[in-house]
Amino acid sequence: MPRISRTVVITLVPVLLALGLAACSPLGTLNALTPGGQSERTEGLSYGDNPRQKLDVYRPLIAHGTAPVVVFFYGGNWVAGERADYAFIGRSLAAHGIVTVVADYRLYPEVRYPDFLKDAAQAVAWARRHAAQYGGDPQRLFVMGHSAGAYNAAMVALDPRWLAAHGMTPADLRGWIGLAGPYDFLPIENPTTKPVFHFPDTPPDSQPVRHVSKQSPPALLIAAKSDKLVNPQRNTGRLAQALRAQQVPVTELYYDRVSHTTLIGSVAAPLRWLAPTLDDVAGYVLAAEAAVPVPAPAAVTTP
């Protein structure tokens, strides 16, 4: 792939946003500029009977023993999103030696809370059952998400109800990664989100921050300091504080040069100069050994 200069990339940023990054719509440009030669994709695998219950698996072409497994959920305010748009996530993590599952889930208005959480847990259970077929280690299983997808990941990791339906518990996760997630957002202000969560009768237990316990798995929480869509102090900060109060290992990172949307975009090759998102996520996952969790620092702030 030809080398892309920093000047060209800076010029591309507003173009990428105009193409749909800000709306979590098709991200073909980022996919096209993120090489996939170090990974192999198996696409369209069903983890349930609904047409939206499908996933793609990205496995590293070069592996040394079994690899950790990350199940990724994209954002889109629970009303939009397609797994194919996030091929750059699968390719990027697989290039770092991580088996990556990018899953679709049912969206509003087909479903409302909590049905998309049932899908998320079902996808995670599928990944645990099938990890070995793709060179993955089911004992090193992580969930990860951005925005609404980070909410899904958080609820699967923190609220035991969802994995219990599949004979699993949050203890089966080595950890979880949330990027710019909404974890404490009542009362709901966003008009698009309101019907998704049955406003004005939103269940209080729909909030991830309410499910933190000493049994919660370790977490890596990343946010943009200048996030205008999901308040980083209220959501990432409060959740990190709650986890720390229960003595759960949590790493808390805030980046300066990204927004809510370019935070996930910074995983893609042309935007990696914006923030070390990929390196921090991959480093966190790869540091987790099969038998013993690696405690994360209490709090870390990066420029």
Side-chain angles (χ1 to χ4, degrees), residues 20-210:
L21 183 55
C24 293
S25 55
L27 306 177
T29 302
L30 292 183
N31 289 333
L33 296 175
T34 301
Q38 294 177 288
S39 65
E40 177 182 75
R41 179 173 69 174
T42 304
E43 57 184 313
L45 299 169
S46 296
Y47 66 86
D49 297 329
N50 188 279
R52 288 283 304 176
Q53 294 173 326
K54 293 186 183 296
L55 52 80
D56 298 339
V57 179
Y58 298 78
R59 65 182 299 176
L61 286 181
I62 300 176
H64 304 283
T66 54
V69 181
V70 168
V71 182
F72 174 79
F73 301 107
Y74 49 73
N77 211 2
W78 303 280
V79 301
E82 298 288 343
R83 68 184 187 279
D85 293 340
Y86 293 87
F88 68 91
I89 298 291
R91 293 171 185 169
S92 298
L93 290 176
H96 279 69
I98 299 166
V99 173
T100 307
V101 177
V102 180
D104 280 332
Y105 51 95
R106 289 173 295 167
L107 303 170
Y108 179 84
E110 180 183 359
V111 298
R112 303 186 187 205
Y113 169 87
D115 290 334
F116 41 79
L117 296 179
K118 296 176 183 178
D119 290 1
Q122 194 169 347
V124 171
W126 184 98
R128 188 169 186 255
R129 290 195 308 272
H130 296 277
Q133 296 175 226
Y134 300 93
D137 182 353
Q139 300 303 313
R140 288 190 291 165
L141 178 63
F142 298 77
V143 290
M144 172 182 171
H146 169 249
S147 193
Y151 169 90
N152 293 358
M155 288 294 280
V156 168
L158 301 176
D159 184 349
R161 289 179 292 175
W162 313 117
L163 287 177
H166 305 280
M168 296 176 62
T169 73
D172 291 315
L173 301 176
R174 302 297 305 128
W176 70 279
I177 302 105
L179 307 181
Y183 312 118
D184 184 16
F185 55 90
L186 294 185
I188 297 173
E189 298 179 357
N190 188 318
T192 303
T193 307
K194 286 181 177 181
V196 178
F197 285 86
H198 310 279
F199 183 87
D201 300 315
T202 306
D205 66 0
S206 65
Q207 303 301 289
V209 73
R210 291 177 175 260

Side-chain angles (χ1 to χ4, degrees), residues 12-31 75-76 85-86 88-89 146-147 229 258-268 270-271 274:
L12 276 174
V13 170
V15 177
L16 293 170
L17 292 173
L19 287 172
L21 183 55
C24 293
S25 55
L27 306 177
T29 302
L30 292 183
N31 289 333
D85 293 340
Y86 293 87
F88 68 91
I89 298 291
H146 169 249
S147 193
L229 297 179
V258 291
S259 66
H260 182 82
T261 50
T262 57
L263 174 59
I264 190 63
S266 67
V267 175
L271 299 182
L274 285 171

